[in-house]
C-alpha cells in the first residue's frame, strides 16, 4: 500500500475513533488496578543521568505506570543499562489509544507501549506493530515457561506474534464470608444454579443483593465468562465469523437475564450501586472481578480483612472463564519501521521477564505475571487468594482477541446486554442483531 494512502487511512481512522468515543457511553478502562505498594521501594542508589544516556520512553496507563515507578524497577533497569534512561509516561487508556493511532500515521511514538488486548485487532492490519517472533526465539522463551496462551494470545492470522505478554487478568468471585454464613452457607456457589439458590436466600430486593452488577467493559467480561463457561464463543477460531446465534450463546444470555429477573443482581436500576462500595457496605455479597480488588479492599476497606475471600467462578458446562493477558507492543510507523529503539524495548521486556523483577512489580501492581516460575516464589505461592486466580488460569481462559475491530465488537456486546437487562429486547432477538453487527465489523 502507498505510504501516503496508509497515512491518510490512519488519520481517518483516528478521527472516526475520536468521533465514536464522543458518541458512545463512557466505559471503564479494561485494566486499572489500584493495588497499593506492599513494601517500600528497594534501596537503590540514585542514577547519575548524563548527556550520554539515551532516553527510552515507555507509555503506560496511569496506575500501571505509577506502580511501576514506585517499584523502583526503572531505576534498577537504568543501573543495569547505563546507555539508556527509561522514562515512564502515563496517560488514560483512551488517550493512549488515540496517541498511538496518531503516532502510527507519522507522529511521535514510544519505544514500547502498553496496550489493551482488544486493540491489536485494529493495529495489526495496519502494519504498525513490530513482530515479536525473533525476540522470543532469541531469548529462548518457550511456551512451557509461560502460562497457557500468554504468547499465543497475540499470534495473528498470518502466523506472526505482534505483542509480548505483560500481566494476566483472569476473573474470580470475591465474596463476603460473613454475609454468606449469615444466610446459612459455608462457601460460595459452585454452579450458576446454586447462584440462583444463594441469591434467593441472601437478597431481600431492597438493601441486599447476592451479586453486584457491572458496567460496559466489565459487563462484557462478565457475559464472556458466562459464554465461555457454557461452551460458546463470540467469534470462531479464524476470527472471521460471529458465533452468537448458537444454543450456547443463548443459554449464557438467558442466565444473564435471569440473574436480573430474579433479583440476584438488582433488577431495578435505582438499586444498582457501585460494585466496590456496595461490597464494602454489605449491599452486595459477591462480585465477579479481578486481582486489582486486592489493592482496592486493602486500601479502602482494611476493616473487612478476614471477612472476604476469593473463589473460582461458578461453572457452566466447562471450567473456562474470561481472562486476558494485556500486552506490550513495539509500535512502528514509516519513519521508524523497526521501532523507535527496539533494542532498548526488548531489553526492558527481558528485564521484566526475570522472576525477581516480576515479583517486585507484582508487589505494587497487584496483577499476575505470565511466567510459571513466578508462582513458585513464596510471595505468590503462599498467598491463597493469588492461587485461586492461578488455578483459574490453568483451568482455561479465553477472550476476544486477534479479531478485526474487536473494540467495536465489544461495544456491540455490552449494548446487547443493556437491551436484554432493561427489557428492550429478548435474548434471541438481541443475539441475532449483535451477531449481524459483529460480522459486519470483523469482515471489514
Amino acid at each position: 500500500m502507498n505510504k501516503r494512502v496508509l497515512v491518510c487511512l490512519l488519520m481517518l481512522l483516528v478521527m472516526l475513533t475520536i468521533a465514536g468515543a464522543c458518541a458512545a457511553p463512557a466505559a471503564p478502562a479494561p485494566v486499572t488496578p489500584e493495588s497499593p505498594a506492599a513494601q517500600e521501594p528497594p534501596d537503590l542508589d540514585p542514577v547519575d543521568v548524563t548527556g550520554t544516556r539515551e532516553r527510552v520512553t515507555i507509555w503506560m496507563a496511569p496506575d500501571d505506570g505509577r506502580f511501576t515507578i514506585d517499584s523502583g524497577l526503572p531505576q534498577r533497569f537504568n543501573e543495569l543499562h547505563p546507555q539508556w534512561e527509561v522514562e515512564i509516561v502515563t496517560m488514560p487508556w483512551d488517550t493512549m489509544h488515540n496517541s498511538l493511532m496518531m503516532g502510527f500515521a507519522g507522529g511521535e511514538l514510544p519505544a514500547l507501549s502498553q496496550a489493551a488486548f482488544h486493540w491489536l485487532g485494529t493495529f495489526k492490519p495496519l502494519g504498525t506493530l513490530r513482530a515479536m517472533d525473533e525476540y522470543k526465539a532469541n531469548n529462548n522463551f518457550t511456551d512451557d515457561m509461560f502460562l497457557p496462551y500468554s504468547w499465543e494470545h497475540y499470534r495473528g492470522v498470518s502466523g506472526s506474534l505482534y505483542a509480548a505478554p505483560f500481566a494476566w487478568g483472569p476473573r474470580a468471585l470475591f465474596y463476603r464470608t460473613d454475609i454468606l454464613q449469615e444466610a446459612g452457607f459455608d462457601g460460595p456457589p459452585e454452579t450458576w444454579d446454586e447462584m440462583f439458590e444463594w441469591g434467593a436466600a441472601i437478597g431481600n430486593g431492597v438493601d441486599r443483593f447476592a451479586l453486584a452488577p457491572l458496567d460496559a467493559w466489565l459487563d462484557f467480561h462478565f457475559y464472556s465468562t458466562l459464554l465461555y463457561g457454557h461452551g460458546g464463543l463470540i467469534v470462531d477460531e479464524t476470527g472471521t465469523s460471529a458465533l452468537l446465534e448458537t444454543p450456547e450463546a443463548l443459554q449464557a444470555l438467558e442466565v444473564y437475564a435471569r440473574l436480573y429477573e430474579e433479583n440476584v443482581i438488582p433488577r431495578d436500576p435505582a438499586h444498582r450501586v457501585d460494585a466496590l462500595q456496595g461490597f464494602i457496605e454489605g449491599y452486595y455479597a459477591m462480585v465477579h472481578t479481578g486481582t486489582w480488588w486486592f489493592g482496592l479492599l486493602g486500601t479502602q476497606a482494611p476493616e473487612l480483612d478476614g471477612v472476604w475471600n476469593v473463589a473460582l467462578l461458578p461453572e457452566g458446562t466447562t471450567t473456562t472463564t474470561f481472562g486476558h493477558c494485556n500486552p506490550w507492543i513495539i509500535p512502528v510507523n514509516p519513519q521508524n519501521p523497526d521501532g523507535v529503539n527496539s533494542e532498548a524495548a526488548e531489553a526492558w521486556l527481558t528485564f521484566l521477564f526475570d522472576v525477581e523483577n516480576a515479583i517486585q512489580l507484582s508487589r505494587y501492581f497487584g496483577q499476575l505475571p505470565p511466567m510459571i516460575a513466578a508462582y513458585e516464589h513464596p510471595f505468590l505461592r503462599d498467598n491463597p487468594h493469588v492461587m485461586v486466580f492461578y488455578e483459574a488460569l490453568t483451568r482455561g481462559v479465553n477472550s476476544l482477541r486477534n479479531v478485526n475491530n474487536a473494540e467495536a465488537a465489544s461495544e456491540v456486546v455490552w449494548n446487547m446486554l443493556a437491551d436484554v437487562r432493561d427489557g428492550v429486547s429478548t435474548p434471541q432477538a438481541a443475539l441475532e442483531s449483535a451477531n449481524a453487527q459483529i460480522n459486519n465489523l470483523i469482515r471489514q
Side-chain angles (χ1 to χ4, degrees):
M1 179 183 291
N2 182 279
K3 289 183 179 179
R4 190 172 182 181
V5 174
L6 174 60
V7 169
C8 291
L9 288 174
L10 284 167
M11 293 299 294
L12 177 59
L13 183 54
V14 170
M15 290 186 288
L16 290 174
T17 300
I18 295 172
C22 294
V31 179
T32 53
E34 300 284 346
S35 57
Q39 62 180 37
E40 293 301 314
D43 186 15
L44 299 176
D45 295 331
V47 176
D48 180 18
V49 179
T50 69
T52 61
R53 285 183 178 271
E54 180 179 0
R55 192 173 299 276
V56 178
T57 303
I58 299 175
W59 288 358
M60 299 186 72
D63 289 327
D64 304 33
R66 175 169 58 85
F67 295 138
T68 301
I69 293 169
D70 289 348
S71 73
L73 289 177
Q75 186 176 349
R76 183 178 296 174
F77 177 86
N78 291 340
E79 289 188 337
L80 293 172
H81 302 279
Q83 71 272 40
W84 297 315
E85 178 199 358
V86 162
E87 179 185 27
I88 305 292
V89 176
T90 65
M91 60 188 76
W93 286 98
D94 56 349
T95 302
M96 190 188 308
H97 178 280
N98 292 335
S99 296
L100 284 168
M101 294 297 292
M102 294 294 290
F104 294 152
E108 180 182 358
L109 284 172
L112 190 73
S113 180
Q114 264 189 296
F117 72 100
H118 51 276
W119 292 353
L120 270 65
T122 300
F123 293 169
K124 283 188 305 185
L126 300 174
T128 52
L129 301 179
R130 186 170 180 270
M132 303 296 291
D133 304 83
E134 185 175 353
Y135 164 76
K136 182 186 176 190
N138 288 344
N139 286 276
N140 297 314
F141 291 144
T142 57
D143 289 338
D144 61 0
M145 297 166 59
F146 294 82
L147 291 165
Y149 301 109
S150 292
W151 290 90
E152 293 304 309
H153 224 67
Y154 305 114
R155 188 176 297 283
V157 176
S158 66
S160 296
L161 293 170
Y162 288 97
F166 175 30
W168 263 105
R171 297 294 183 267
L173 190 71
F174 281 69
Y175 64 97
R176 289 280 299 264
T177 55
D178 54 343
I179 296 176
L180 266 61
Q181 289 170 0
E182 181 183 323
F185 303 112
D186 294 330
E190 296 181 0
T191 66
W192 290 107
D193 284 340
E194 287 186 351
M195 177 64 81
F196 291 109
E197 178 185 345
W198 268 237
I202 292 171
N204 59 21
V206 179
D207 59 5
R208 177 163 289 175
F209 298 87
L211 190 62
L214 300 169
D215 295 319
W217 288 110
L218 298 179
D219 206 26
F220 164 69
H221 297 171
F222 179 51
Y223 176 70
S224 296
T225 290
L226 290 170
L227 180 63
Y228 300 141
H230 285 86
L233 292 170
I234 295 175
V235 300
D236 66 9
E237 294 295 343
T238 68
T240 58
S241 292
L243 290 178
L244 289 181
E245 288 189 274
T246 63
E248 293 81 6
L250 179 59
Q251 186 177 10
L253 191 54
E254 286 175 341
V255 170
Y256 176 91
R258 185 182 166 195
L259 288 168
Y260 283 90
E261 290 166 359
E262 297 189 13
N263 246 354
V264 178
I265 301 174
R267 179 174 58 244
D268 184 349
H271 287 158
R272 299 172 198 158
V273 304
D274 175 73
L276 177 64
Q277 196 58 38
F279 187 82
I280 292 172
E281 295 176 359
Y283 191 85
Y284 299 127
M286 294 173 277
V287 181
H288 167 281
T289 190
T291 53
W292 64 91
W293 265 51
F294 294 154
L296 288 173
L297 293 173
T299 56
Q300 299 188 33
E303 71 278 6
L304 291 185
D305 186 34
V307 298
W308 64 266
N309 207 340
V310 184
L312 294 169
L313 288 159
E315 294 180 13
T317 57
T318 79
T319 60
T320 303
T321 186
F322 171 82
H324 63 88
C325 194
N326 265 359
W328 288 111
I329 60 171
I330 298 179
V332 302
N333 64 18
Q335 285 70 45
N336 301 285
D338 295 319
V340 175
N341 189 333
S342 58
E343 183 183 1
E346 291 182 358
W348 175 258
L349 292 177
T350 304
F351 175 75
L352 290 186
F353 284 139
D354 177 85
V355 168
E356 289 300 327
N357 293 334
I359 292 297
Q360 176 68 7
L361 184 57
S362 188
R363 293 180 191 277
Y364 287 78
F365 190 45
Q367 294 282 20
L368 302 182
M371 303 85 70
I372 291 175
Y375 298 88
E376 299 170 1
H377 191 286
F379 178 76
L380 296 181
R381 183 195 63 209
D382 297 341
N383 185 327
H385 295 154
V386 167
M387 297 314 291
V388 169
F389 281 90
Y390 179 74
E391 184 177 352
L393 284 168
T394 58
R395 281 159 54 109
V397 293
N398 206 342
S399 69
L400 184 65
R401 62 188 190 279
N402 293 332
V403 174
N404 287 345
N405 293 316
E407 188 167 16
S410 303
E411 294 180 17
V412 169
V413 173
W414 89 51
N415 287 328
M416 172 193 78
L417 297 174
D419 286 346
V420 169
R421 179 179 66 235
D422 299 335
V424 175
S425 179
T426 65
Q428 183 69 56
L431 286 168
E432 291 174 1
S433 175
N435 201 75
Q437 292 178 65
I438 292 174
N439 270 332
N440 287 335
L441 287 168
I442 64 178
R443 293 172 180 174
Q444 291 178 8

